[in-house]
Amino acid sequence: MSQTVRREQTVAEVVVVDYGLGNLRSVTRGLERAGAAVEITDDPDDFAAADGIVLPGVGAFREGVENAGPYREALVDAAERGQPLFGICLGMQMLLTTSEEADRAGQGEVRGLDLVPGTNVRFAGDLTVPHMGWNELDVRRSHPLVEGVDGEYAYFVHSYYAVPDDDEAVVATTDYGEPFPSVVANEAGTVFGTQFHPEKSGETGLRILRNFVDVCAD
């Protein structure tokens, strides 16, 4: 059972990228509860001064990548600096290289940020899509983001999921018909994402946001 997470003071400064497709208010409230001073920004010049960056997102892959185009260089630079970069839902999918979603819509290949090499695929078979609701997290390897959440439940709303090229990029999985990656990270461990919405996942999500803030504060 997750424990209630409370913070009495700010421990890190975080920017939330406003590129037109994120649930900024809920993400900001969750981060503030977890101990972050939050700035919502559409200016990539703000990224370098922050302790960490959050890339939220809801919607289609192509629209997300296009909207985030002005921030691509700054996000890649942040990753190369080793600055913590946290993608949420669509934001996580955008960390990968490509997605079947654009091809399926007849839009051709659309290139993501390629910070976690791989592609995003649609749930197959007769599974209900989108996958929506609470599902269990199965932590597969150690990473600061998932400390204390193995076996806990998080809230998902998505039709596509990430398939990294490197199995080591999979931090946690969730079962929906079969296991799929629900938390991923790059080789350095500084770029990571959750397919679920931590800001909608109660105490489990708050624990993950606290873990992120702690990573930013180190």
Side-chain angles (χ1 to χ4, degrees):
M1 180 69 68
S2 295
Q3 296 181 349
T4 299
V5 180
R6 295 186 176 89
R7 285 290 169 89
E8 296 181 357
Q9 60 184 7
T10 297
V11 297
E13 297 182 356
V14 173
V15 295
V16 174
V17 184
D18 181 4
Y19 64 103
L21 290 176
N23 187 2
L24 305 183
R25 184 174 299 178
S26 295
V27 171
T28 297
R29 283 201 302 263
L31 287 164
E32 289 173 341
R33 288 186 65 198
V38 182
E39 178 183 3
I40 298 172
T41 184
D42 60 3
D43 185 352
D45 290 338
D46 293 335
F47 295 178
D51 296 315
I53 301 168
V54 176
L55 183 66
V58 293
F61 186 82
R62 182 185 184 90
E63 185 179 9
V65 169
E66 289 179 347
N67 281 25
Y71 312 100
R72 178 184 291 268
E73 183 176 353
L75 291 169
V76 172
D77 287 348
E80 291 177 348
R81 288 193 299 269
Q83 196 170 8
L85 172 58
F86 183 9
I88 296 174
C89 197
L90 175 62
M92 183 189 103
Q93 294 181 10
M94 288 164 56
L95 299 177
L96 276 76
T97 314
T98 60
S99 176
E100 290 181 353
E101 185 172 11
D103 270 342
R104 186 181 179 89
Q107 299 165 337
E109 183 173 281
V110 177
R111 191 168 182 85
L113 295 170
D114 196 29
L115 298 174
V116 181
T119 192
N120 298 281
V121 302
R122 186 177 171 88
F123 285 111
D126 54 3
L127 292 170
T128 299
V129 176
H131 166 221
M132 183 181 299
W134 294 83
N135 284 88
E136 187 175 0
L137 305 177
D138 180 9
V139 174
R140 295 301 182 94
R141 69 173 180 85
S142 177
H143 188 282
L145 190 70
V146 295
E147 182 178 346
V149 300
D150 188 27
E152 300 293 345
Y153 283 72
Y155 186 77
F156 293 81
V157 184
H158 64 119
S159 301
Y160 292 78
Y161 61 91
V163 180
D165 291 344
D166 185 354
D167 288 343
E168 287 299 309
V170 179
V171 174
T173 62
T174 293
D175 190 85
Y176 186 60
E178 61 182 44
F180 69 88
S182 50
V183 182
V184 301
N186 69 345
E187 184 176 358
T190 55
V191 175
F192 39 81
T194 61
Q195 183 59 71
F196 55 88
H197 288 274
E199 76 280 8
K200 297 179 180 179
S201 297
E203 297 298 330
T204 299
L206 189 55
R207 176 62 184 262
I208 286 172
L209 293 175
R210 187 191 73 174
N211 290 343
F212 168 64
V213 172
D214 286 344
V215 168
C216 294
D218 286 346

